[in-house]
Amino acid sequence: MREIVLDEIDSTNSYAKNNIGELADKTVIHAMRQSSGRGRLNRIWLDLGLGNLFLSFVLKPSGTYKKVYANLTQYLCVCLSKVLEKYGVTSQIKWPNDVLVNDKKIAGILSEAIVSKSSLKGIVLGIGVNLNASKADLDKVKERHATSLNLEVNKSIDLNVFKKELLEEFFLDYDKFISQGFSLIESYYLSHNCFLHKNLQVQMFDKIETGYADRVNSDGELVLVKDKKELVITIGDIL
Ligand code: BT5
Protein backbone atom coordinates (compact mmCIF):
# COMPACT_ATOMS: atom_id res chain seq x y z
CA MET A 1 0.00 0.00 0.00
CA ARG A 2 1.16 3.54 -0.82
CA GLU A 3 -0.29 6.67 0.62
CA ILE A 4 -0.49 10.23 -0.68
CA VAL A 5 -1.49 12.79 1.93
CA LEU A 6 -2.72 16.18 0.70
CA ASP A 7 -3.52 19.28 2.74
CA GLU A 8 -6.48 20.23 0.60
CA ILE A 9 -8.01 19.09 -2.67
CA ASP A 10 -11.31 19.52 -4.48
CA SER A 11 -12.10 15.82 -4.23
CA THR A 12 -9.89 12.83 -3.46
CA ASN A 13 -11.91 10.81 -5.98
CA SER A 14 -11.32 13.44 -8.68
CA TYR A 15 -7.60 13.57 -7.84
CA ALA A 16 -7.38 9.78 -8.13
CA LYS A 17 -9.35 9.74 -11.40
CA ASN A 18 -7.27 12.53 -12.94
CA ASN A 19 -4.03 10.74 -12.06
CA ILE A 20 -5.19 7.16 -12.52
CA GLY A 21 -2.49 6.37 -15.10
CA GLU A 22 0.37 7.19 -12.73
CA LEU A 23 -1.09 5.80 -9.50
CA ALA A 24 -0.16 2.26 -8.50
CA ASP A 25 -2.66 -0.37 -7.39
CA LYS A 26 -3.59 0.00 -3.70
CA THR A 27 -2.62 3.65 -3.45
CA VAL A 28 -4.57 5.64 -0.89
CA ILE A 29 -5.26 9.35 -1.36
CA HIS A 30 -6.00 11.12 1.90
CA ALA A 31 -6.89 14.82 2.10
CA MET A 32 -7.17 16.86 5.28
CA ARG A 33 -9.73 19.16 3.68
CA GLN A 34 -11.93 18.61 0.68
CA SER A 35 -13.55 21.62 -0.99
CA SER A 36 -15.84 19.89 -3.55
CA GLY A 37 -16.49 16.40 -2.24
CA ARG A 38 -18.77 14.41 -4.48
CA GLY A 39 -21.56 11.98 -3.66
CA ARG A 40 -23.43 9.79 -6.10
CA LEU A 41 -25.63 11.24 -8.87
CA ASN A 42 -24.04 14.70 -8.65
CA ARG A 43 -24.82 15.06 -4.97
CA ILE A 44 -22.26 16.67 -2.70
CA TRP A 45 -20.28 15.45 0.29
CA LEU A 46 -19.74 18.21 2.82
CA ASP A 47 -16.42 18.79 4.51
CA LEU A 48 -17.37 19.39 8.13
CA GLY A 49 -13.91 20.61 9.12
CA LEU A 50 -10.45 19.38 10.04
CA GLY A 51 -10.34 16.00 11.74
CA ASN A 52 -12.89 14.34 9.46
CA LEU A 53 -11.85 11.65 7.01
CA PHE A 54 -11.71 12.10 3.22
CA LEU A 55 -9.99 9.24 1.50
CA SER A 56 -9.94 7.34 -1.79
CA PHE A 57 -8.54 3.91 -2.60
CA VAL A 58 -7.04 3.43 -6.07
CA LEU A 59 -7.58 -0.20 -7.01
CA LYS A 60 -6.39 -1.98 -10.11
CA PRO A 61 -7.42 -5.61 -9.65
CA SER A 62 -7.54 -6.45 -13.37
CA GLY A 63 -7.60 -4.92 -16.82
CA THR A 64 -11.24 -5.73 -17.45
CA TYR A 65 -14.32 -5.01 -15.35
CA LYS A 66 -15.77 -7.82 -13.21
CA LYS A 67 -19.15 -7.83 -11.53
CA VAL A 68 -17.62 -8.23 -8.07
CA TYR A 69 -16.14 -4.73 -8.30
CA ALA A 70 -19.66 -3.33 -7.92
CA ASN A 71 -19.71 -4.90 -4.44
CA LEU A 72 -16.63 -3.02 -3.23
CA THR A 73 -18.85 -0.33 -1.71
CA GLN A 74 -20.56 -3.04 0.34
CA TYR A 75 -17.17 -4.46 1.35
CA LEU A 76 -16.07 -1.01 2.52
CA CYS A 77 -19.34 -0.57 4.46
CA VAL A 78 -18.57 -3.76 6.34
CA CYS A 79 -14.97 -2.69 7.02
CA LEU A 80 -16.17 0.64 8.38
CA SER A 81 -18.84 -1.00 10.49
CA LYS A 82 -16.20 -3.31 12.03
CA VAL A 83 -13.94 -0.36 12.85
CA LEU A 84 -16.87 1.49 14.44
CA GLU A 85 -17.43 -1.58 16.63
CA LYS A 86 -13.93 -1.03 18.09
CA TYR A 87 -15.24 2.32 19.34
CA GLY A 88 -18.22 0.61 20.93
CA VAL A 89 -20.58 1.87 18.22
CA THR A 90 -23.06 -0.41 16.48
CA SER A 91 -23.93 0.69 12.98
CA GLN A 92 -26.62 -0.24 10.50
CA ILE A 93 -26.04 -0.77 6.81
CA LYS A 94 -28.60 0.60 4.39
CA TRP A 95 -28.40 -0.92 0.91
CA PRO A 96 -26.29 -0.41 -1.01
CA ASN A 97 -23.68 1.70 0.71
CA ASP A 98 -24.90 3.86 3.56
CA VAL A 99 -23.58 3.35 7.07
CA LEU A 100 -25.87 4.75 9.74
CA VAL A 101 -25.60 5.12 13.49
CA ASN A 102 -28.91 5.52 15.29
CA ASP A 103 -30.56 6.16 11.90
CA LYS A 104 -28.18 8.99 11.10
CA LYS A 105 -25.64 9.02 8.28
CA ILE A 106 -22.05 8.91 9.53
CA ALA A 107 -20.27 8.09 6.27
CA GLY A 108 -20.64 8.07 2.52
CA ILE A 109 -19.00 5.87 -0.09
CA LEU A 110 -18.55 6.63 -3.78
CA SER A 111 -17.15 4.04 -6.18
CA GLU A 112 -16.15 4.99 -9.71
CA ALA A 113 -14.79 2.69 -12.40
CA ILE A 114 -12.50 4.33 -14.91
CA VAL A 115 -12.83 2.62 -18.26
CA SER A 116 -11.09 3.65 -21.45
CA LYS A 117 -11.34 1.88 -24.80
CA SER A 118 -13.07 -1.01 -23.05
CA SER A 119 -10.19 -1.61 -20.65
CA LEU A 120 -10.43 -0.92 -16.93
CA LYS A 121 -7.90 1.69 -15.85
CA GLY A 122 -8.87 1.36 -12.22
CA ILE A 123 -11.51 1.72 -9.58
CA VAL A 124 -11.60 4.72 -7.29
CA LEU A 125 -13.35 3.92 -4.05
CA GLY A 126 -13.87 7.02 -1.94
CA ILE A 127 -15.09 7.30 1.61
CA GLY A 128 -15.93 10.23 3.82
CA VAL A 129 -16.46 9.62 7.53
CA ASN A 130 -17.59 12.23 10.05
CA LEU A 131 -15.18 11.75 12.93
CA ASN A 132 -14.97 15.14 14.61
CA ALA A 133 -17.93 17.32 13.71
CA SER A 134 -19.97 19.63 15.91
CA LYS A 135 -23.76 19.60 16.09
CA ALA A 136 -23.74 22.94 14.24
CA ASP A 137 -21.59 21.41 11.46
CA LEU A 138 -24.00 18.50 11.12
CA ASP A 139 -26.91 20.90 10.67
CA LYS A 140 -25.29 21.91 7.37
CA VAL A 141 -26.45 18.55 6.02
CA LYS A 142 -29.98 19.57 5.07
CA GLU A 143 -31.44 16.58 3.30
CA ARG A 144 -31.10 14.00 6.06
CA HIS A 145 -30.00 13.37 9.62
CA ALA A 146 -26.25 13.09 10.03
CA THR A 147 -23.97 12.17 12.90
CA SER A 148 -20.29 12.05 13.75
CA LEU A 149 -18.28 9.50 15.71
CA ASN A 150 -17.10 12.01 18.34
CA LEU A 151 -20.71 12.79 19.23
CA GLU A 152 -21.61 9.12 19.48
CA VAL A 153 -18.76 8.36 21.90
CA ASN A 154 -18.48 11.76 23.60
CA LYS A 155 -14.81 12.25 22.89
CA SER A 156 -12.66 13.53 20.06
CA ILE A 157 -11.34 10.97 17.61
CA ASP A 158 -7.73 10.66 16.50
CA LEU A 159 -8.00 10.90 12.71
CA ASN A 160 -4.73 9.07 12.01
CA VAL A 161 -5.52 6.21 14.36
CA PHE A 162 -8.96 5.80 12.82
CA LYS A 163 -7.52 5.93 9.30
CA LYS A 164 -4.92 3.28 10.17
CA GLU A 165 -7.62 1.00 11.60
CA LEU A 166 -9.79 1.42 8.50
CA LEU A 167 -6.90 0.79 6.08
CA GLU A 168 -5.84 -2.31 8.03
CA GLU A 169 -9.38 -3.65 8.03
CA PHE A 170 -9.77 -2.94 4.31
CA PHE A 171 -6.55 -4.56 3.14
CA LEU A 172 -6.88 -7.53 5.52
CA ASP A 173 -9.36 -9.35 3.27
CA TYR A 174 -9.34 -7.25 0.10
CA ASP A 175 -7.62 -9.84 -2.12
CA LYS A 176 -9.86 -12.58 -0.74
CA PHE A 177 -12.92 -10.43 -1.40
CA ILE A 178 -11.93 -9.83 -5.01
CA SER A 179 -11.69 -13.57 -5.62
CA GLN A 180 -14.61 -14.69 -3.43
CA GLY A 181 -17.06 -11.80 -3.83
CA PHE A 182 -20.13 -10.86 -1.81
CA SER A 183 -20.39 -14.23 -0.05
CA LEU A 184 -17.34 -13.31 2.04
CA ILE A 185 -19.22 -10.47 3.74
CA GLU A 186 -22.79 -11.66 3.31
CA SER A 187 -23.48 -12.73 6.88
CA TYR A 188 -22.01 -9.57 8.44
CA TYR A 189 -23.73 -7.33 5.87
CA LEU A 190 -27.10 -8.96 6.46
CA SER A 191 -26.79 -9.05 10.23
CA HIS A 192 -26.28 -5.27 10.22
CA ASN A 193 -28.93 -4.40 7.66
CA CYS A 194 -31.76 -1.98 8.40
CA PHE A 195 -33.79 -2.32 5.21
CA LEU A 196 -34.86 -5.94 4.76
CA HIS A 197 -38.39 -7.23 5.32
CA LYS A 198 -39.95 -3.81 4.98
CA ASN A 199 -41.98 -2.12 2.27
CA LEU A 200 -39.63 0.24 0.49
CA GLN A 201 -39.52 2.92 -2.12
CA VAL A 202 -36.37 2.75 -4.19
CA GLN A 203 -35.29 5.53 -6.52
CA MET A 204 -33.66 4.21 -9.68
CA PHE A 205 -32.50 7.19 -11.72
CA ASP A 206 -35.77 8.99 -12.60
CA LYS A 207 -38.06 6.13 -11.60
CA ILE A 208 -39.35 5.09 -8.17
CA GLU A 209 -40.04 1.40 -7.54
CA THR A 210 -41.99 0.19 -4.54
CA GLY A 211 -42.04 -3.28 -3.07
CA TYR A 212 -41.24 -5.57 -0.18
CA ALA A 213 -37.50 -5.91 0.46
CA ASP A 214 -37.31 -9.68 0.39
CA ARG A 215 -33.59 -10.34 0.32
CA VAL A 216 -30.14 -9.43 -0.94
CA ASN A 217 -29.04 -12.01 -3.51
CA SER A 218 -25.63 -13.64 -3.80
CA ASP A 219 -24.44 -10.76 -6.02
CA GLY A 220 -25.34 -8.18 -3.37
CA GLU A 221 -28.37 -6.95 -5.35
CA LEU A 222 -31.62 -5.96 -3.64
CA VAL A 223 -34.60 -8.16 -4.47
CA LEU A 224 -37.95 -6.39 -4.17
CA VAL A 225 -41.22 -8.31 -4.40
CA LYS A 226 -44.31 -6.62 -5.78
CA ASP A 227 -47.51 -8.37 -6.86
CA LYS A 228 -45.70 -11.72 -6.48
CA LYS A 229 -43.08 -10.64 -9.01
CA GLU A 230 -39.41 -10.17 -8.20
CA LEU A 231 -37.50 -7.09 -9.16
CA VAL A 232 -33.72 -7.25 -8.87
CA ILE A 233 -32.17 -3.86 -8.22
CA THR A 234 -28.49 -3.29 -8.93
CA ILE A 235 -28.31 0.49 -8.50
CA GLY A 236 -30.66 2.72 -6.57
CA ASP A 237 -31.38 4.67 -3.42
CA ILE A 238 -33.77 3.56 -0.71
CA LEU A 239 -35.94 6.59 0.03
C1 BT5 B 1 -22.35 9.46 -0.70
O1 BT5 B 1 -23.15 9.88 -1.71
O2 BT5 B 1 -22.71 9.28 0.44
C2 BT5 B 1 -20.91 9.31 -1.11
C3 BT5 B 1 -20.00 10.32 -0.48
C4 BT5 B 1 -18.55 10.01 -0.73
C5 BT5 B 1 -17.65 11.04 -0.14
C6 BT5 B 1 -16.20 10.68 -0.28
S1 BT5 B 1 -15.17 11.78 0.58
C7 BT5 B 1 -13.77 11.16 -0.21
C8 BT5 B 1 -14.16 10.89 -1.63
N1 BT5 B 1 -13.98 12.04 -2.49
C9 BT5 B 1 -15.15 12.50 -2.98
O3 BT5 B 1 -15.29 13.50 -3.71
N2 BT5 B 1 -16.15 11.73 -2.53
C10 BT5 B 1 -15.67 10.65 -1.72
P1 BT5 B 1 -24.74 9.85 -1.64
O4 BT5 B 1 -25.22 8.49 -1.26
O5 BT5 B 1 -25.13 10.41 -2.95
O6 BT5 B 1 -25.08 10.82 -0.46
C11 BT5 B 1 -24.90 12.20 -0.57
C12 BT5 B 1 -25.79 12.84 0.48
O7 BT5 B 1 -25.21 12.67 1.79
C13 BT5 B 1 -25.95 14.34 0.33
O8 BT5 B 1 -26.97 14.66 -0.60
C14 BT5 B 1 -26.32 14.76 1.74
O9 BT5 B 1 -27.68 14.51 2.02
C15 BT5 B 1 -25.55 13.77 2.61
N3 BT5 B 1 -24.29 14.35 3.10
C16 BT5 B 1 -23.45 15.22 2.51
N4 BT5 B 1 -22.39 15.46 3.28
C17 BT5 B 1 -22.56 14.75 4.42
C18 BT5 B 1 -21.80 14.58 5.60
N5 BT5 B 1 -20.62 15.17 5.80
N6 BT5 B 1 -22.32 13.76 6.55
C19 BT5 B 1 -23.48 13.11 6.39
N7 BT5 B 1 -24.24 13.22 5.28
C20 BT5 B 1 -23.78 14.03 4.30
Side-chain angles (χ1 to χ4, degrees):
M1 186 202 81
R2 295 173 202 191
E3 202 183 342
I4 296 176
V5 180
L6 306 164
D7 283 340
E8 180 163 354
I9 195 75
D10 52 353
S11 147
T12 55
N13 266 44
S14 300
Y15 178 94
K17 278 173 83 174
N18 294 338
N19 296 287
I20 195 77
E22 296 87 68
L23 295 168
D25 181 29
K26 300 182 181 171
T27 301
V28 168
I29 316 294
H30 173 208
M32 296 300 158
R33 300 299 309 261
Q34 185 172 252
S35 53
S36 300
R38 296 188 285 111
R40 294 175 304 143
L41 306 169
N42 292 326
R43 290 188 288 244
I44 56 165
W45 185 257
L46 288 174
D47 174 341
L48 302 180
L50 268 178
N52 294 298
L53 184 70
F54 313 103
L55 182 146
S56 298
F57 295 88
V58 174
L59 304 167
K60 299 185 171 181
S62 64
T64 50
Y65 191 82
K66 295 186 184 156
K67 207 173 175 189
V68 62
Y69 304 156
N71 301 116
L72 276 165
T73 55
Q74 290 165 317
Y75 175 67
L76 185 50
C77 277
V78 165
C79 293
L80 173 63
S81 181
K82 287 182 178 171
V83 174
L84 291 173
E85 264 175 36
K86 294 185 179 168
Y87 290 78
V89 169
T90 303
S91 55
Q92 302 86 43
I93 299 174
K94 184 173 156 195
W95 186 90
N97 64 337
D98 263 349
V99 176
L100 310 176
V101 175
N102 296 322
D103 285 332
K104 293 179 235 166
K105 183 158 170 155
I106 194 164
I109 296 171
L110 173 66
S111 177
E112 299 179 282
I114 295 102
V115 178
S116 164
K117 294 185 195 129
S118 78
S119 77
L120 179 69
K121 299 292 167 211
I123 294 160
V124 176
L125 182 63
I127 180 166
V129 190
N130 299 328
L131 296 179
N132 290 291
S134 68
K135 285 206 173 85
D137 291 331
L138 291 165
D139 286 342
K140 293 177 193 157
V141 182
K142 298 286 177 219
E143 305 83 358
R144 58 172 93 198
H145 296 299
T147 190
S148 180
L149 185 54
N150 60 314
L151 299 177
E152 297 296 330
V153 298
N154 285 316
K155 61 174 187 210
S156 60
I157 306 299
D158 187 318
L159 170 64
N160 283 320
V161 170
F162 187 93
K163 177 179 72 170
K164 189 166 171 280
E165 289 168 336
L166 185 62
L167 296 183
E168 276 173 9
E169 191 63 52
F170 184 85
F171 286 115
L172 183 68
D173 276 340
Y174 167 76
D175 292 326
K176 206 169 165 191
F177 180 75
I178 290 298
S179 56
Q180 196 178 323
F182 186 70
S183 67
L184 183 72
I185 56 163
E186 188 171 9
S187 69
Y188 189 99
Y189 189 86
L190 295 180
S191 68
H192 287 73
N193 95 83
C194 62
F195 56 91
L196 283 179
H197 310 136
K198 291 178 184 171
N199 289 311
L200 299 182
Q201 288 191 309
V202 183
Q203 175 111 37
M204 298 160 68
F205 302 103
D206 52 358
K207 199 161 132 204
I208 294 179
E209 296 287 354
T210 55
Y212 179 75
D214 188 59
R215 63 185 191 279
V216 172
N217 68 17
S218 56
D219 287 329
E221 298 160 325
L222 175 63
V223 182
L224 284 189
V225 176
K226 189 182 181 185
D227 302 332
K228 295 189 181 157
K229 282 194 197 123
E230 290 197 345
L231 178 69
V232 177
I233 302 185
T234 310
I235 302 173
D237 270 314
I238 296 174
L239 298 177

Short mmCIF file of all heavy atoms in Angstrom, two decimals, residues 11-13 34 36-40 43-46 48 54-56 98 105 108-110 126-128 130 141 143-144 146, ligand 1:
data_model
loop_
_atom_site.label_atom_id
_atom_site.label_comp_id
_atom_site.label_asym_id
_atom_site.label_seq_id
_atom_site.Cartn_x
_atom_site.Cartn_y
_atom_site.Cartn_z
N SER A 11 -11.49 17.11 -4.56
CA SER A 11 -12.10 15.82 -4.23
C SER A 11 -11.02 14.74 -4.37
O SER A 11 -10.31 14.71 -5.38
CB SER A 11 -13.25 15.56 -5.22
OG SER A 11 -13.39 14.19 -5.48
N THR A 12 -10.91 13.90 -3.37
CA THR A 12 -9.89 12.83 -3.46
C THR A 12 -10.23 11.87 -4.60
O THR A 12 -9.34 11.33 -5.25
CB THR A 12 -9.75 12.06 -2.12
OG1 THR A 12 -11.05 11.56 -1.75
CG2 THR A 12 -9.19 12.93 -1.02
N ASN A 13 -11.54 11.67 -4.85
CA ASN A 13 -11.91 10.81 -5.98
C ASN A 13 -11.48 11.45 -7.31
O ASN A 13 -10.95 10.76 -8.19
CB ASN A 13 -13.42 10.56 -6.01
CG ASN A 13 -13.80 9.27 -5.30
OD1 ASN A 13 -13.28 8.99 -4.21
ND2 ASN A 13 -14.70 8.51 -5.87
N GLN A 34 -11.42 18.93 2.02
CA GLN A 34 -11.93 18.61 0.68
C GLN A 34 -12.98 19.67 0.31
O GLN A 34 -14.04 19.73 0.93
CB GLN A 34 -12.52 17.21 0.71
CG GLN A 34 -12.98 16.71 -0.64
CD GLN A 34 -13.39 15.26 -0.63
OE1 GLN A 34 -12.70 14.41 -1.14
NE2 GLN A 34 -14.52 14.97 -0.03
N SER A 36 -14.70 20.25 -2.68
CA SER A 36 -15.84 19.89 -3.55
C SER A 36 -16.07 18.39 -3.54
O SER A 36 -16.03 17.74 -4.60
CB SER A 36 -15.59 20.34 -4.99
OG SER A 36 -15.41 21.70 -5.07
N GLY A 37 -16.27 17.85 -2.36
CA GLY A 37 -16.49 16.40 -2.24
C GLY A 37 -17.74 15.98 -3.00
O GLY A 37 -18.75 16.70 -2.98
N ARG A 38 -17.65 14.86 -3.67
CA ARG A 38 -18.77 14.41 -4.48
C ARG A 38 -19.46 13.19 -3.88
O ARG A 38 -18.81 12.31 -3.31
CB ARG A 38 -18.27 14.04 -5.89
CG ARG A 38 -17.71 15.24 -6.65
CD ARG A 38 -17.41 14.90 -8.08
NE ARG A 38 -16.21 14.08 -8.24
CZ ARG A 38 -16.20 12.82 -8.62
NH1 ARG A 38 -17.33 12.19 -8.89
NH2 ARG A 38 -15.06 12.16 -8.75
N GLY A 39 -20.79 13.17 -4.00
CA GLY A 39 -21.56 11.98 -3.66
C GLY A 39 -21.98 11.31 -4.96
O GLY A 39 -21.45 11.63 -6.02
N ARG A 40 -22.95 10.42 -4.89
CA ARG A 40 -23.43 9.79 -6.10
C ARG A 40 -24.42 10.73 -6.81
O ARG A 40 -24.95 11.64 -6.18
CB ARG A 40 -24.10 8.46 -5.76
CG ARG A 40 -23.09 7.45 -5.20
CD ARG A 40 -23.75 6.18 -4.75
NE ARG A 40 -24.77 6.45 -3.77
CZ ARG A 40 -25.93 5.78 -3.69
NH1 ARG A 40 -26.20 4.83 -4.53
NH2 ARG A 40 -26.80 6.08 -2.76
N ARG A 43 -24.58 14.48 -6.29
CA ARG A 43 -24.82 15.06 -4.97
C ARG A 43 -23.48 15.46 -4.36
O ARG A 43 -22.43 15.10 -4.88
CB ARG A 43 -25.55 14.05 -4.08
CG ARG A 43 -26.99 13.84 -4.57
CD ARG A 43 -27.77 13.00 -3.60
NE ARG A 43 -27.35 11.62 -3.66
CZ ARG A 43 -28.11 10.60 -4.06
NH1 ARG A 43 -29.35 10.79 -4.43
NH2 ARG A 43 -27.65 9.37 -4.08
N ILE A 44 -23.54 16.21 -3.27
CA ILE A 44 -22.26 16.67 -2.70
C ILE A 44 -21.99 15.99 -1.36
O ILE A 44 -22.91 15.56 -0.66
CB ILE A 44 -22.22 18.20 -2.52
CG1 ILE A 44 -23.39 18.68 -1.66
CG2 ILE A 44 -22.21 18.93 -3.84
CD1 ILE A 44 -23.20 20.09 -1.16
N TRP A 45 -20.70 15.91 -1.03
CA TRP A 45 -20.28 15.45 0.29
C TRP A 45 -19.64 16.62 0.99
O TRP A 45 -18.66 17.20 0.52
CB TRP A 45 -19.29 14.28 0.20
CG TRP A 45 -18.96 13.76 1.58
CD1 TRP A 45 -17.84 13.99 2.31
CD2 TRP A 45 -19.82 12.96 2.41
NE1 TRP A 45 -17.94 13.40 3.54
CE2 TRP A 45 -19.14 12.75 3.63
CE3 TRP A 45 -21.09 12.41 2.24
CZ2 TRP A 45 -19.69 12.00 4.67
CZ3 TRP A 45 -21.63 11.66 3.27
CH2 TRP A 45 -20.93 11.46 4.47
N LEU A 46 -20.21 17.02 2.13
CA LEU A 46 -19.74 18.21 2.82
C LEU A 46 -18.52 17.92 3.69
O LEU A 46 -18.49 16.92 4.41
CB LEU A 46 -20.86 18.76 3.72
CG LEU A 46 -22.05 19.42 3.03
CD1 LEU A 46 -23.11 19.75 4.08
CD2 LEU A 46 -21.60 20.69 2.32
N LEU A 48 -16.92 18.78 6.87
CA LEU A 48 -17.37 19.39 8.13
C LEU A 48 -16.19 19.78 9.01
O LEU A 48 -16.29 19.80 10.23
CB LEU A 48 -18.34 18.45 8.85
CG LEU A 48 -19.59 18.06 8.05
CD1 LEU A 48 -20.49 17.12 8.84
CD2 LEU A 48 -20.38 19.29 7.60
N PHE A 54 -11.42 12.05 4.66
CA PHE A 54 -11.71 12.10 3.22
C PHE A 54 -10.63 11.28 2.54
O PHE A 54 -9.46 11.69 2.54
CB PHE A 54 -11.67 13.54 2.69
CG PHE A 54 -12.43 14.51 3.57
CD1 PHE A 54 -11.75 15.36 4.43
CD2 PHE A 54 -13.81 14.53 3.56
CE1 PHE A 54 -12.44 16.23 5.27
CE2 PHE A 54 -14.51 15.39 4.39
CZ PHE A 54 -13.82 16.24 5.24
N LEU A 55 -11.02 10.17 1.97
CA LEU A 55 -9.99 9.24 1.50
C LEU A 55 -10.48 8.46 0.28
O LEU A 55 -11.68 8.15 0.18
CB LEU A 55 -9.74 8.31 2.68
CG LEU A 55 -8.73 7.21 2.66
CD1 LEU A 55 -8.14 7.08 4.07
CD2 LEU A 55 -9.36 5.90 2.29
N SER A 56 -9.57 8.18 -0.64
CA SER A 56 -9.94 7.34 -1.79
C SER A 56 -8.91 6.23 -1.98
O SER A 56 -7.70 6.48 -1.89
CB SER A 56 -10.00 8.16 -3.08
OG SER A 56 -10.99 9.16 -2.99
N ASP A 98 -24.84 2.86 2.49
CA ASP A 98 -24.90 3.86 3.56
C ASP A 98 -24.60 3.18 4.89
O ASP A 98 -25.11 2.09 5.16
CB ASP A 98 -26.30 4.47 3.65
CG ASP A 98 -26.40 5.78 2.90
OD1 ASP A 98 -25.35 6.32 2.50
OD2 ASP A 98 -27.52 6.27 2.74
N LYS A 105 -26.74 9.36 9.20
CA LYS A 105 -25.64 9.02 8.28
C LYS A 105 -24.31 9.50 8.84
O LYS A 105 -24.13 10.68 9.14
CB LYS A 105 -25.94 9.69 6.93
CG LYS A 105 -24.93 9.38 5.84
CD LYS A 105 -25.53 9.60 4.45
CE LYS A 105 -24.44 9.54 3.40
NZ LYS A 105 -24.91 9.16 2.08
N GLY A 108 -20.16 8.24 3.88
CA GLY A 108 -20.64 8.07 2.52
C GLY A 108 -19.55 7.42 1.69
O GLY A 108 -18.36 7.67 1.91
N ILE A 109 -19.96 6.60 0.74
CA ILE A 109 -19.00 5.87 -0.09
C ILE A 109 -19.36 6.10 -1.56
O ILE A 109 -20.52 6.01 -1.94
CB ILE A 109 -19.03 4.36 0.25
CG1 ILE A 109 -18.57 4.14 1.70
CG2 ILE A 109 -18.16 3.56 -0.72
CD1 ILE A 109 -18.76 2.73 2.22
N LEU A 110 -18.35 6.39 -2.34
CA LEU A 110 -18.55 6.63 -3.78
C LEU A 110 -17.54 5.81 -4.56
O LEU A 110 -16.33 6.01 -4.43
CB LEU A 110 -18.35 8.12 -4.08
CG LEU A 110 -18.36 8.52 -5.56
CD1 LEU A 110 -19.74 8.31 -6.16
CD2 LEU A 110 -17.94 9.99 -5.72
N GLY A 126 -14.04 5.92 -2.89
CA GLY A 126 -13.87 7.02 -1.94
C GLY A 126 -14.77 6.88 -0.74
O GLY A 126 -15.90 6.38 -0.84
N ILE A 127 -14.27 7.34 0.39
CA ILE A 127 -15.09 7.30 1.61
C ILE A 127 -14.89 8.59 2.41
O ILE A 127 -13.76 9.07 2.58
CB ILE A 127 -14.80 6.03 2.46
CG1 ILE A 127 -15.68 6.03 3.72
CG2 ILE A 127 -13.31 5.91 2.83
CD1 ILE A 127 -15.71 4.68 4.44
N GLY A 128 -15.99 9.12 2.89
CA GLY A 128 -15.93 10.23 3.82
C GLY A 128 -16.57 9.77 5.12
O GLY A 128 -17.64 9.16 5.10
N ASN A 130 -17.55 11.14 9.06
CA ASN A 130 -17.59 12.23 10.05
C ASN A 130 -17.01 11.69 11.35
O ASN A 130 -17.60 10.80 11.99
CB ASN A 130 -19.02 12.69 10.29
CG ASN A 130 -19.67 13.25 9.03
OD1 ASN A 130 -18.99 13.82 8.18
ND2 ASN A 130 -20.98 13.06 8.90
N VAL A 141 -25.91 19.61 6.88
CA VAL A 141 -26.45 18.55 6.02
C VAL A 141 -27.97 18.69 6.09
O VAL A 141 -28.59 18.37 7.09
CB VAL A 141 -26.02 17.15 6.50
CG1 VAL A 141 -26.55 16.07 5.56
CG2 VAL A 141 -24.50 17.06 6.63
N GLU A 143 -30.50 17.55 3.85
CA GLU A 143 -31.44 16.58 3.30
C GLU A 143 -31.75 15.42 4.23
O GLU A 143 -32.76 14.74 4.07
CB GLU A 143 -30.92 16.01 1.97
CG GLU A 143 -30.57 17.04 0.91
CD GLU A 143 -29.17 17.64 1.09
OE1 GLU A 143 -28.48 17.27 2.06
OE2 GLU A 143 -28.80 18.50 0.27
N ARG A 144 -30.87 15.14 5.19
CA ARG A 144 -31.10 14.00 6.06
C ARG A 144 -30.37 14.18 7.39
O ARG A 144 -29.56 15.08 7.53
CB ARG A 144 -30.64 12.72 5.39
CG ARG A 144 -29.17 12.76 5.00
CD ARG A 144 -28.74 11.41 4.53
NE ARG A 144 -28.85 11.29 3.09
CZ ARG A 144 -28.86 10.14 2.46
NH1 ARG A 144 -28.79 9.04 3.14
NH2 ARG A 144 -28.91 10.08 1.15
N ALA A 146 -27.64 13.53 10.09
CA ALA A 146 -26.25 13.09 10.03
C ALA A 146 -25.68 13.02 11.44
O ALA A 146 -26.17 13.70 12.35
CB ALA A 146 -25.44 14.07 9.18
C1 BT5 B 1 -22.35 9.46 -0.70
O1 BT5 B 1 -23.15 9.88 -1.71
O2 BT5 B 1 -22.71 9.28 0.44
C2 BT5 B 1 -20.91 9.31 -1.11
C3 BT5 B 1 -20.00 10.32 -0.48
C4 BT5 B 1 -18.55 10.01 -0.73
C5 BT5 B 1 -17.65 11.04 -0.14
C6 BT5 B 1 -16.20 10.68 -0.28
S1 BT5 B 1 -15.17 11.78 0.58
C7 BT5 B 1 -13.77 11.16 -0.21
C8 BT5 B 1 -14.16 10.89 -1.63
N1 BT5 B 1 -13.98 12.04 -2.49
C9 BT5 B 1 -15.15 12.50 -2.98
O3 BT5 B 1 -15.29 13.50 -3.71
N2 BT5 B 1 -16.15 11.73 -2.53
C10 BT5 B 1 -15.67 10.65 -1.72
P1 BT5 B 1 -24.74 9.85 -1.64
O4 BT5 B 1 -25.22 8.49 -1.26
O5 BT5 B 1 -25.13 10.41 -2.95
O6 BT5 B 1 -25.08 10.82 -0.46
C11 BT5 B 1 -24.90 12.20 -0.57
C12 BT5 B 1 -25.79 12.84 0.48
O7 BT5 B 1 -25.21 12.67 1.79
C13 BT5 B 1 -25.95 14.34 0.33
O8 BT5 B 1 -26.97 14.66 -0.60
C14 BT5 B 1 -26.32 14.76 1.74
O9 BT5 B 1 -27.68 14.51 2.02
C15 BT5 B 1 -25.55 13.77 2.61
N3 BT5 B 1 -24.29 14.35 3.10
C16 BT5 B 1 -23.45 15.22 2.51
N4 BT5 B 1 -22.39 15.46 3.28
C17 BT5 B 1 -22.56 14.75 4.42
C18 BT5 B 1 -21.80 14.58 5.60
N5 BT5 B 1 -20.62 15.17 5.80
N6 BT5 B 1 -22.32 13.76 6.55
C19 BT5 B 1 -23.48 13.11 6.39
N7 BT5 B 1 -24.24 13.22 5.28
C20 BT5 B 1 -23.78 14.03 4.30
#
